[in-house]
Amino acid sequence: MTSWEQFLGGDEFGTDALRRLVDDSWRRCLSNSVDPQRDQAPPPMREDSLHSLRDDCRELLEASQPVMASAREFLAETGTVMVLTDGAGIILNLEGDTRLRDAAANIHLLSGASWSEQACGTNAIGTAIEVGQPVQIHSAEHYCSGIKRWSCSANVIRDPYDGTILGVVDVSGLSDTFNRHSLALVVATAGRIENRLAQQEMDLRLRLLDHCMDRLSGSSSDGVIVFDRRGRAVKANGAAADALLDLQRQRGEATGADLSRLRLNWRKQATLPDELPPWMRREWLEPVVTKGERLGIVLRLPARRAAPSRTVGLDAAAKPEAGDDAFARIVGEAPSLRHAIGRARQLAKSRAPVLLLGETGVGKDVFAQCLHAGSTGRDGAFVALNCGGFSRELLTSELFGYAEGAFTGARRGGMTGKIEAADGGTLFLDEIGEMPKDLQPHFLRVLESGEVYRIGETRPRKVNLRLVAATNRDLRREVEAGRFRMDLFYRVAVTSISIPALRERATDIPLLAEHLMQDLARRQGPARRRLSPRAIEVLQAYAWPGNVRELRNVIEGMLLIAEGEELTEADIPDEIWTAPASDIAPSVAQAGEAEPLRGLTGMENAERLALLRAMQAHKGNMTAVARDLGIAKSTVYAKLRRFGLEGAVGETRRFHI
């Protein structure tokens, strides 16, 4: 008690006498005129007010109830109680040892009571809210004399969406029950509650997007923007950016159509905002309400009917606008690819972040370069960085740069980071799902503020860039698993483009192969060749797990080993023929068990059946079939024609690939 008495007496004491956290808290209490002789919290609020507060905190209570219930055994064994408060420190719920009921009531550790620092002085709940981190206050460290018999540990519960403090989870008990594990318990409990809140938020977002999917994917030329229940833009169709730019031009503005910065604000019980931006009309808004619950709002921006030619269609023959010719380098005519290109052409004109979705090797980097080349910032730099190719420390310095002397081994004069280098242009972050979670809030701050701090510097540097991110992960699942921040997800995924896998557009393989052969001939010098129809059939039957990147490698290998002017199935690598499979193609299996064909002798029918079984065993690899049967490969093809089995070859390969 000596330090406390000295402090109240106005004497200074050494820093060794008191923890810095407690010292800072006591000084705040003194500044706020908290009564050090207080022996309990203020009386709890009235029942009707508490009911209203709990209704406001319904989602927090629902998320915390099962988590707190799972700690009952620990609480009973340690003689402690677990407390849940709102963001202001007002108790919403308690769990734990009933033997503490009277002692807790004596200090008003009850539902409806406020345990903020201003109300009760230094205590784990109030101090955790003040510092925003885990806090453990033991016995005499409390500021108010009547609470010094207690020990408590607490941690804040943050909104997974924007990081604001929603509440506090606390474990309290009399001083003789002090347990250092209590701090670990509240940290883990707060984390579990935050994960459950993230899941709740994700479910609501998915319900909202599912409800609005027909409007987002419709053929209307109107711009459509979906706002969540918090008033933030979470999804837009391709026409939204153009519609916003048109509205800005009509008002004489030129701020750029950054959809991610759009906000709407409304009261909790209201279905529409009280105030709207000057350019927005109330009749453009449609609330999304299901089962009495508001999920969000849809904003429909009318397109300019007088200038329909502004919309770039999906037809490959459509004449592109200025800047759109950048997308001509993307080869393919499949509808799914043309849809992705059309969407990218529309989004290229805006400054909104774009998330490219697709498997490894589909060409996300090519789409990113085309988005940059078709944008208003095409004269700026295109800076690319793969978030999965560096350690956490190296990725930090690559992104943010560093000042001279920031760390051992730092380059003289410091280094410009990729964020700063992309100022005025485009920053392309590939594999953004690999970004370490502790680095994500720092990157989010750059996107929100338009400022970057080099490592070792305290002076911000202004940046204005367009973000294009890419991933082959399901970021929604990453958010649910706690590996990716929800607020960053919705910041980078304002708009998205799904790039189809190569197996989903197999009809493009002849075009792609021809393009790749021309490119390789130009770069490496081998004479241009053509693919035989049979080789094309085999390539189209393969699943291409490595997508366009794998196709390029296969074509390059075929060009290097082929001798003739035509690339045939014999030039196709063995791994294409021997792709893993678990069963035999049903059509081929049925053909093998069919009755003998009329017009064939018994010996010929036996040969036909042996040929079918060899094809099944070797998954359509005709070189292996010829080796197995002990005949020439040309003889195998002759027998296929004789027995009418040419179509069965393709069936076998398609099934096993």
Side-chain angles (χ1 to χ4, degrees):
M1 298 288 286
T2 303
S3 298
W4 182 67
E5 292 169 348
Q6 287 179 344
F7 178 82
L8 295 179
D11 295 336
E12 291 295 328
F13 45 86
T15 56
D16 293 339
L18 200 64
R19 285 194 293 151
R20 177 62 182 271
L21 180 141
V22 176
D23 182 23
D24 290 345
S25 176
W26 284 8
R27 295 182 188 279
R28 285 194 299 270
C29 294
L30 186 64
S31 175
N32 291 323
S33 301
V34 177
D35 183 2
Q37 303 303 325
R38 177 181 282 278
D39 58 2
Q40 58 185 197
M45 63 175 55
R46 291 170 45 184
E47 191 66 30
D48 57 342
S49 298
L50 177 59
H51 179 78
S52 177
L53 177 62
R54 281 176 166 163
D55 184 57
D56 289 341
C57 300
R58 176 174 52 86
E59 292 174 9
L60 176 61
L61 284 164
E62 289 176 353
S64 62
Q65 192 276 328
V67 181
M68 292 176 64
S70 67
R72 285 172 184 163
E73 186 175 343
F74 173 86
L75 299 171
E77 290 177 354
T78 56
T80 54
V81 293
M82 181 174 284
V83 178
L84 177 73
T85 81
D86 72 350
I90 299 174
I91 297 178
L92 300 171
N93 195 20
L94 293 94
E95 279 278 3
D97 195 335
T98 57
R99 293 171 295 180
L100 272 180
R101 185 175 300 165
D102 291 341
N106 288 337
I107 62 169
H108 287 165
L109 193 64
L110 303 168
S111 295
S114 173
W115 279 79
S116 66
E117 266 194 359
Q118 291 81 2
C120 298
T122 303
N123 71 93
I125 294 172
T127 305
I129 293 173
E130 291 294 332
V131 301
Q133 62 187 36
V135 169
Q136 193 164 47
I137 302 296
H138 178 51
S139 190
E141 291 180 326
H142 288 86
Y143 184 76
C144 295
S145 60
I147 311 173
K148 290 182 179 289
R149 295 176 54 230
W150 290 74
S151 290
C152 45
S153 304
N155 192 24
V156 293
I157 300 167
R158 293 189 180 276
D159 188 333
Y161 185 88
D162 57 15
T164 57
I165 295 177
L166 295 177
V168 173
V169 61
D170 165 85
V171 171
S172 292
L174 296 173
S175 297
D176 57 1
T177 66
F178 175 73
N179 189 330
R180 293 190 180 277
H181 296 301
S182 297
L183 187 61
L185 174 62
V186 295
V187 170
T189 302
R192 291 178 61 191
I193 294 172
E194 287 174 355
N195 287 338
R196 289 179 63 86
L197 287 169
Q199 181 63 57
Q200 289 177 1
E201 188 70 25
M202 185 66 68
D203 290 343
L204 288 170
R205 288 289 181 86
L206 292 176
R207 285 170 55 195
L208 172 64
L209 293 176
D210 183 62
H211 189 86
C212 301
M213 192 57 65
D214 57 336
R215 290 170 243 196
L216 287 165
S217 58
S219 58
S220 171
S221 57
D222 290 347
V224 176
I225 305 175
V226 178
F227 294 84
D228 68 4
R229 59 189 181 136
R230 300 169 183 264
R232 295 198 177 194
V234 296
K235 200 73 174 176
N237 68 353
D242 278 351
L244 275 177
L245 284 172
D246 286 342
L247 287 168
Q248 288 178 356
R249 292 192 186 103
Q250 292 170 21
R251 292 178 54 82
E253 300 173 356
T255 57
D258 190 347
L259 301 176
S260 63
R261 296 186 181 275
L262 287 180
R263 298 288 188 277
L264 296 177
N265 298 303
W266 53 78
R267 291 175 289 104
K268 182 174 181 181
Q269 302 303 325
T271 55
L272 290 175
D274 295 326
E275 296 182 5
L276 298 177
W279 55 268
M280 190 182 297
R281 298 181 184 176
R282 191 167 296 275
E283 60 266 26
W284 294 348
L285 296 171
E286 177 189 347
V288 180
V289 180
T290 61
K291 298 180 180 179
E293 183 178 19
R294 185 189 64 199
L295 300 181
I297 281 180
V298 174
L299 170 65
R300 186 176 293 277
L301 301 170
R304 287 200 307 175
R305 307 301 178 188
S309 61
R310 287 180 53 79
T311 302
V312 180
L314 301 182
D315 185 355
K319 184 178 179 180
E321 295 181 317
D324 285 341
D325 56 347
F327 291 89
R329 62 180 295 193
I330 302 176
V331 179
E333 299 295 338
S336 57
L337 180 68
R338 300 312 303 177
H339 176 76
I341 294 173
R343 183 169 173 79
R345 277 179 169 152
Q346 292 174 320
L347 294 176
K349 305 183 189 81
S350 79
R351 298 286 290 173
V354 176
L355 180 64
L356 301 176
L357 305 172
E359 299 176 2
T360 299
V362 295
K364 296 188 288 292
D365 55 338
V366 176
F367 264 81
Q369 293 174 37
C370 291
L371 282 166
H372 170 71
S375 71
T376 56
R378 68 178 70 92
D379 294 331
F382 176 82
V383 180
L385 181 66
N386 189 318
C387 296
F390 300 92
S391 65
R392 191 261 181 213
E393 293 74 17
L394 191 53
L395 179 60
T396 303
S397 61
E398 285 288 323
L399 266 177
F400 298 95
Y402 55 79
E404 181 175 349
F407 51 83
T408 303
R411 184 184 305 170
R412 177 174 293 181
M415 186 186 82
T416 301
K418 295 294 191 291
I419 294 173
E420 196 177 339
D423 183 32
T426 300
L427 175 65
F428 173 50
L429 292 185
D430 200 2
E431 297 186 33
I432 194 169
E434 304 286 343
M435 182 181 289
K437 191 172 182 183
D438 62 338
L439 194 58
Q440 294 172 23
H442 301 288
F443 182 60
L444 176 63
R445 191 174 299 116
V446 173
L447 298 180
E448 294 285 358
S449 66
E451 295 179 340
V452 61
Y453 289 83
R454 288 188 182 183
I455 300 171
E457 284 188 349
T458 58
R459 179 179 59 86
R461 298 169 183 261
K462 290 287 185 181
V463 289
N464 179 22
L465 56 84
R466 201 284 178 72
L467 174 67
V468 178
T471 183
N472 57 9
R473 293 189 176 193
D474 186 337
L475 287 189
R476 286 191 175 87
R477 292 186 180 274
E478 295 297 298
V479 171
E480 293 171 6
R483 291 187 290 268
F484 201 83
R485 290 177 61 99
M486 178 178 290
D487 48 5
L488 180 58
F489 170 70
Y490 287 114
R491 189 68 175 82
V492 303
V494 173
T495 57
S496 61
I497 300 172
S498 294
I499 305 173
L502 184 55
R503 65 179 172 277
E504 297 170 2
R505 55 184 188 102
T507 54
D508 282 341
I509 286 179
L511 281 173
L512 275 168
E514 175 65 23
H515 172 78
L516 291 171
M517 285 190 290
Q518 291 180 12
D519 185 58
L520 289 167
R522 184 172 60 254
R523 292 170 181 266
Q524 301 179 8
R528 286 183 56 183
R529 297 187 175 95
R530 62 182 182 275
L531 281 170
S532 72
R534 180 69 67 182
I536 292 174
E537 178 185 341
V538 173
L539 295 178
Q540 287 180 314
Y542 182 55
W544 298 107
N547 291 290
V548 179
R549 187 177 298 144
E550 184 182 9
L551 175 63
R552 181 185 181 89
N553 292 340
V554 168
I555 294 296
E556 184 173 11
M558 293 172 67
L559 286 172
L560 291 175
I561 65 172
E563 297 179 354
E565 293 184 359
E566 186 176 67
L567 303 181
T568 68
E569 68 270 28
D571 300 313
I572 294 176
D574 289 342
E575 59 266 23
I576 302 297
W577 294 104
T578 58
S582 56
D583 296 303
I584 296 172
S587 58
V588 178
Q590 292 166 6
E593 300 300 327
E595 295 182 0
L597 293 184
R598 295 178 182 178
L600 298 182
T601 66
M603 180 64 71
E604 287 174 328
N605 269 307
E607 287 182 33
R608 175 176 175 273
L609 184 58
L611 183 56
L612 278 167
R613 288 175 175 169
M615 287 164 55
Q616 296 165 5
H618 296 289
K619 305 178 180 64
N621 185 336
M622 305 315 294
T623 302
V625 169
R627 189 186 312 114
D628 186 29
L629 296 177
I631 57 178
K633 193 174 179 180
S634 58
T635 304
V636 171
Y637 282 106
K639 289 184 178 293
L640 288 174
R641 289 190 293 272
R642 166 72 176 128
F643 300 148
L645 295 176
E646 291 173 289
V649 177
E651 287 293 330
T652 304
R653 292 171 181 168
R654 284 190 182 91
F655 186 81
H656 286 288
I657 292 168

